Amino acid sequence: MTHQYQLALIIGSVRAGRVGPTVAGWFRHQAEQHGGAQLDVIDLADLDLPADLDGGGDTAMFGKRIEAADAVVVVTPEYNHGYPGALKTAIDSAYEQWRAKPVGFVAYGGISGGLRAVEQLRPVFAELHAVTVRASVSFHHVHDQVVSGELRPSARAASAAAKLLTELGWWARALRHARAAEAYEPAE
């Protein structure tokens, strides 16, 4: 399929008892149903990304996976009105690999549904010359939507995921073609 693109799905929480893999599993199913994307699920809990950014551990491997992606979806909780430190370490461990790539968000949390974390992530990705898409998915009071280990949200969540995947797919294909035609060289 010519419209296929490589989508990295990053699980941004590493805490014990986290719900991130459950949320990511739900979104993965939505992406598979939507079609068009080949997924690479990157669970930060499975990686060794040193906070000192010395290039050790799994830093090179993580960078290669981001480089191979045409687009990225970050699954993030909101912790104390922000996003997890492990996610910031992961983002900072790659640099040029983020350039001219679209990034979408699936957020979860309490009453705000993780949206405060997303709003903090947008300028971080802008600084890396990535393009964040407007559409997102947000799960308010996420623990109330987990039944027998599965996320069971309202139909509105599936509609939001479809909008996110449609926007992300367009940007992924457009920017992949643009990067192939001309290397992106930001003005520093």
Side-chain angles (χ1 to χ4, degrees):
M1 176 181 219
T2 60
H3 297 292
Q4 194 80 356
Y5 67 97
Q6 185 71 25
L7 175 60
L9 179 61
I10 298 174
I11 303 172
S13 173
V14 299
R15 285 186 177 176
R18 65 202 170 119
V19 72
T22 302
V23 174
W26 176 88
F27 185 78
R28 180 182 191 157
H29 177 74
Q30 299 302 307
E32 289 167 349
Q33 296 298 309
H34 191 267
Q38 184 169 350
L39 277 92
D40 175 19
V41 179
I42 303 171
D43 189 341
L44 297 184
D46 295 337
L47 302 180
D48 173 24
L49 297 173
D52 61 9
L53 302 177
D54 66 356
D58 294 323
T59 301
M61 182 263 299
F62 178 74
K64 287 178 184 174
R65 290 171 81 177
I66 297 302
E67 180 67 30
D70 294 310
V72 177
V73 168
V74 176
V75 177
T76 185
E78 180 180 315
Y79 295 155
N80 302 316
H81 289 219
Y83 56 93
L87 179 56
K88 178 65 167 142
T89 298
I91 292 167
D92 289 348
S93 72
Y95 185 67
E96 292 178 3
Q97 297 91 333
W98 297 109
R99 289 182 179 170
K101 294 193 180 170
V103 178
F105 302 100
V106 175
Y108 59 94
I111 195 164
S112 76
L115 293 177
R116 292 178 286 222
V118 169
E119 290 309 308
Q120 290 179 17
L121 284 164
R122 289 185 188 282
V124 171
F125 281 108
E127 182 63 21
L128 293 167
H129 298 271
V131 178
T132 60
V133 298
R134 184 178 182 278
S136 62
V137 182
S138 175
F139 296 104
H140 305 269
H141 300 290
V142 69
H143 292 284
D144 295 343
Q145 298 176 60
V146 176
V147 178
S148 300
E150 288 186 30
L151 184 64
R152 298 202 180 149
S154 71
R156 287 187 293 182
S159 176
K163 289 177 185 175
L164 170 59
L165 287 160
T166 298
E167 282 186 26
L168 202 63
W170 186 91
W171 280 103
R173 290 184 296 275
L175 290 175
R176 179 179 62 206
H177 292 303
R179 287 189 313 272
E182 181 180 347
Y184 178 76
E185 297 294 334
E188 295 294 332

